[in-house]
Amino acid sequence: MLMGTIVSIEMVVGSSGVANGIMDKVWAEAERLERVFSRYLPESEISLINREAFYRPVPVSDEMMNVLSRAADISRLTDGAFDISVGPLMKIWGFFPEREGRIPSEAELAACLARVGWQAIELNQSERTVHFLKPGLEIDLGALAKGYVVDRLTALLIEEGIENAIVNAGGDIYCLGEYPGGRNWRIGLEHPRDEDEILTVLELKNRAVATSGDYRNYFIRSRLRYSHIIDPETGRPSQSKVVEVSVMAPDCLTADGLATAMFVMGADKGINLLKKIDDVDGVIVTEEAGEIKLYFSDN
Ligand code: ADP
Ligand code: MG
């Protein structure tokens, strides 16, 4: 268990002794990353930024700068459907720190929306500082931190000479090389309403896939489903009819971030965007009147 999810690594290697040695290194790195990116740890770098960055530009690590810049790129690419400043909204809808869903009042929602907006996160690349231009702004990296962790752990495996492996952080996956026996790794896409059923199978080699869904982290009130991906424009859980998205990309941070964004953008806009981005593909699943529909990008 790491970052509130199950992280698993499978690798093809000559002996279990070698595997265990590599696993210890990889695990130490995973724990280090949690101490940098977790909102649950008051001493993490992200928690420090959230406490201080409105009052003064806060110096950050190269790693944090890199992740925040890439988050800003995804916000730009998706017209703000992706927005790491949704932190305060996650709180008033009861998704953070506990998962105990609640519906905020209109006044609460309006006050909270005033604290949101990715453009108010000022990144100074040369000074390597982060400065919030709005009071009450809070960053939540839940939409791409797991993807970044998968990329880091994969890079470590490659450094250790591993050629075939699969790294999985709660459904954010990198498929390195091949499955033993010389075929591609195959990832089953779970049916959003029936966990025993597979909707489709994706084949990957040296590629990442990330999946976002409305069926793990959600609550139901008056028969309506409220899931943990927020439309930054309305401040409410996304109502786009998308119930599941898988995005494949060369790296897992990109796949993770875009999967979350597709959820907010909806099937049509989402597929159009996926078609435009080189080397990125995906499946978007919608549910309308109880009917499940799949939309695919070009490949
Ligand atoms: P998970 O794999 O945990 O389901 P996702 O990659 O689907 O995570 O991202 C959901 C998380 O992203 C939320 O829990 C929240 O922390 C954050 N989030 C919610 N809405 C947005 C959004 N519109 N843009 C960026 N991050 C978001
Ligand atoms: Mg995501």
Side-chain angles (χ1 to χ4, degrees), residues 7-246:
V7 177
S8 81
I9 296 157
E10 293 169 56
M11 60 182 121
V12 184
V13 61
S15 77
S16 56
V18 173
N20 287 333
I22 295 175
M23 206 58 115
D24 288 346
K25 286 190 199 169
V26 171
W27 199 251
E29 172 69 357
E31 288 179 337
R32 184 190 70 78
L33 289 165
E34 183 174 43
R35 290 192 296 272
V36 174
F37 292 105
S38 172
R39 280 182 88 201
Y40 288 94
L41 303 176
E43 297 316 314
S44 70
E45 189 174 4
I46 198 70
S47 296
L48 176 98
I49 293 171
N50 279 338
R51 278 194 303 272
E52 303 279 322
F54 174 65
Y55 303 101
R56 60 184 175 95
V58 175
V60 298
S61 61
D62 285 338
E63 181 170 48
M64 181 64 77
M65 198 64 181
N66 173 33
V67 168
L68 294 177
S69 311
R70 292 178 66 190
D73 292 341
I74 299 176
S75 294
R76 229 168 273 122
L77 196 62
T78 60
D79 268 333
F82 184 85
D83 189 334
I84 57 172
S85 72
V86 294
L89 292 164
M90 295 306 287
K91 285 184 185 165
I92 61 164
W93 285 93
F95 290 110
F96 181 90
E98 310 296 335
R99 289 188 184 181
E100 51 189 19
R102 61 184 285 275
I103 296 181
S105 70
E106 291 301 316
E108 236 181 322
L109 198 61
C112 208
L113 268 172
R115 301 163 56 191
V116 174
W118 64 275
Q119 280 115 330
I121 304 171
E122 189 178 67
L123 304 178
N124 184 326
Q125 301 284 350
S126 55
E127 303 282 321
R128 253 216 286 118
T129 57
V130 178
H131 192 196
F132 295 166
L133 307 180
K134 271 185 186 183
L137 195 142
E138 267 177 49
I139 293 176
D140 176 339
L141 295 174
L144 47 58
K146 276 185 288 177
Y148 178 72
V149 169
V150 167
D151 289 335
R152 284 295 314 144
L153 302 187
T154 303
L156 253 184
L157 291 178
I158 294 171
E159 259 172 49
E160 294 292 329
I162 298 296
E163 290 172 350
N164 304 295
I166 187 161
V167 178
N168 182 352
D172 285 3
I173 298 170
Y174 192 88
C175 297
L176 180 65
E178 295 174 334
Y179 184 82
R183 60 170 174 80
N184 291 336
W185 293 99
R186 304 181 73 207
I187 307 295
L189 190 60
E190 184 178 325
H191 191 294
R193 299 293 178 258
D194 176 2
E195 61 180 350
D196 295 326
E197 199 185 314
I198 299 290
L199 277 182
T200 185
V201 175
L202 308 173
E203 290 207 18
L204 293 96
K205 179 178 184 173
N206 296 326
R207 213 158 147 72
V209 59
T211 303
S212 279
D214 72 350
Y215 49 92
R216 287 275 152 69
N217 195 350
Y218 67 94
F219 65 91
I220 292 191
R221 289 284 184 289
S222 314
R223 296 167 64 205
L224 286 177
R225 183 187 287 252
Y226 297 90
S227 96
H228 69 316
I229 295 177
I230 304 270
D231 182 341
E233 209 169 293
T234 62
R236 299 166 192 277
S238 169
Q239 299 293 327
S240 63
K241 311 229 166 30
V242 175
V243 293
E244 184 172 11
V245 181
S246 282

